[in-house]
Amino acid sequence: MSEQTQEPGSSAPRRVVVAGAGMAGVQTAVALREQGFTGTVSLIGAEPHQPYDRPPLSKAVLLGKAEGSAFDVDFEALGIELRLGCEVRGLRPGDHELDTEDGPVPYDVLVVATGAEPIPLPGAEGVPGVHLLRTLDDAERLRPVLARRDDVVVVGAGWIGAEFATAAREAGSAVTVVEAAERPLAGALPAEVAAPMAGWYADAGAVLRTHARVDRVEPGAVVLDDGSRLPAGAVVVGIGARPATAWLSGSGIELGTHGEIVADQHLRSSAPDVYAVGDCASFPSGRYGERLLVHHWDNALQGPRTVAVNIVGRASGETPAVYDPVPYFWSEQFGRFVQYAGHHPAADTTLWRGDPAGPAWTVCWLRGDRLVALLAVGRPRDLAQGRRLIESGTPMNPALLADPARPLKAATA
């Protein structure tokens, strides 16, 4: 990554433009006002809907228990200009202009918060009955599918695949989940940790087929590479997401190997006066000694606070705030509440608290005697205490840590 130096301006920026009206974009706009920014704040979103939260889409909205999940933010009262249904198309940092379908938008400071977009299943684009689940419109298209209790095939046994399968089973649909890897969550968790989760599918009445690759999708069916033919009134694709940054082509902004904006420790991009936050950006973690790309809700909530502090503080020459969080996310699947904090690839020891065949257990990852990550199933207290222990870097006693009856905060060295 090239050295990124953006000197504080001699005066406060008058106009901040935020590209992207999801969680990261909305929280950036709100945080700017909370930090006392008095200039113009413009929030630009590609979707026509009032800005909304995404996690309920795979739960309450999908099941018809809620009509939407709009953020409870009074944009007018905060003086935040909303430009919805407006797609960003390019960026010219030298001119300090953002190109949109409605024309160029000038900025003093730009915050890119365009998030991530789901990866489509190759060869399935345009086939009737094939769905992605990322937007409110996606959820609205899937609601009648579940209401009819159609047979559903879910492609991908990651977090979103498991959450949709959970909702579909709750709605009474027959569900088959096909996964190319040998286990669910293969790209997210080690084999021994993900293995107990495979049984959750059968417990919920869903069929999980691993080592299964889709050969093609036909109207009403999914054909696997072994010739198996699965009936499918609907196909839901959950094979991952990629940063929504294609529109930055030609801008000169440095992108990483996954197409993400390469931000520095202050969430500044390689272009002057351009910050990046949320799913579309990676950042260097001093805590873990590597660059992190985090596609989770909490990152989109926390990062904007750092960006807002740095935008407001730079005119006065304040030392920029560093963004180095303990990553966190949760997932509700098959009647279980799963929470994760930290970054386990940095670990050299794995400890279990409780029986993974039971309803509640925790996995702890250590590097030396320091807790670096944990996954808690039905043990929210472990997660809350463990997250604080990771943040503080408190030395742990492994023998005490492995006792599920002992609170984590009482397992220190």
Side-chain angles (χ1 to χ4, degrees), residues 8 266 268 309-310 313-314 316-322:
H266 310 299
R268 301 176 301 196
V309 166
N310 289 339
R314 66 185 202 148
S316 56
E318 295 180 18
T319 301
V322 172

Side-chain angles (χ1 to χ4, degrees), residues 169 173-175 200-207:
R169 284 300 301 139
S173 295
V175 178
W200 297 356
Y201 289 78
D203 291 346
V207 176

Side-chain angles (χ1 to χ4, degrees), residues 95-378:
D95 297 328
H96 275 61
E97 284 192 338
L98 179 71
D99 290 322
T100 77
E101 61 182 332
D102 294 338
V105 177
Y107 64 84
D108 292 323
V109 173
L110 173 68
V111 181
V112 180
T114 46
E117 55 193 5
I119 297 172
L121 183 66
E125 296 94 333
V127 177
V130 176
H131 301 264
L132 299 170
L133 181 51
R134 181 71 177 179
T135 68
L136 180 60
D137 290 340
D138 293 336
E140 292 292 350
R141 283 189 286 267
L142 278 164
R143 280 172 67 167
V145 170
L146 299 191
R148 293 193 302 266
R149 299 185 179 181
D150 288 348
D151 291 345
V152 175
V153 172
V154 180
V155 182
W159 299 111
I160 191 66
E163 290 184 1
F164 179 80
T166 298
R169 284 300 301 139
E170 184 176 337
S173 295
V175 178
T176 301
V177 181
V178 297
E179 169 58 53
E182 74 280 5
R183 64 183 189 275
L185 296 167
L189 295 174
E192 69 271 20
V193 177
M197 300 177 177
W200 297 356
Y201 289 78
D203 291 346
V207 176
L208 173 64
R209 295 190 57 165
T210 55
H211 298 285
R213 293 186 177 275
V214 175
D215 179 70
R216 64 186 184 277
V217 179
E218 302 173 349
V222 173
V223 181
L224 303 182
D225 60 359
D226 65 358
S228 301
R229 188 179 186 86
L230 307 176
V235 179
V236 177
V237 179
I239 57 175
R242 59 192 172 205
T245 57
W247 63 279
L248 289 170
S249 175
S251 69
I253 285 186
E254 182 180 0
L255 302 180
T257 56
H258 301 284
E260 83 282 7
I261 297 170
V262 177
D264 70 5
Q265 68 270 34
H266 310 299
L267 296 179
R268 301 176 301 196
S269 79
S270 59
D273 303 318
V274 178
Y275 293 78
V277 68
D279 291 2
C280 67
S282 65
F283 56 90
S285 171
R287 187 189 311 276
Y288 292 107
E290 62 181 283
R291 179 165 288 277
L292 300 182
L293 175 60
V294 180
H295 281 186
H296 292 298
W297 184 90
D298 192 65
N299 180 52
L301 176 67
Q302 303 295 340
R305 298 169 183 169
T306 298
V307 168
V309 166
N310 289 339
I311 290 173
V312 172
R314 66 185 202 148
S316 56
E318 295 180 18
T319 301
V322 172
Y323 187 60
D324 194 8
V326 174
Y328 167 75
F329 70 89
W330 79 97
S331 178
E332 295 175 286
Q333 49 185 273
F334 308 117
R336 294 166 175 84
F337 186 45
V338 182
Q339 294 173 283
Y340 178 98
H343 183 63
H344 68 268
D348 51 40
T349 303
T350 303
L351 290 176
W352 293 76
R353 288 168 54 83
D355 182 359
W361 47 275
T362 297
V363 179
C364 298
W365 287 275
L366 300 172
R367 182 174 60 212
D369 62 356
R370 309 301 170 103
L371 187 66
V372 295
L374 77 161
L375 180 139
V377 177

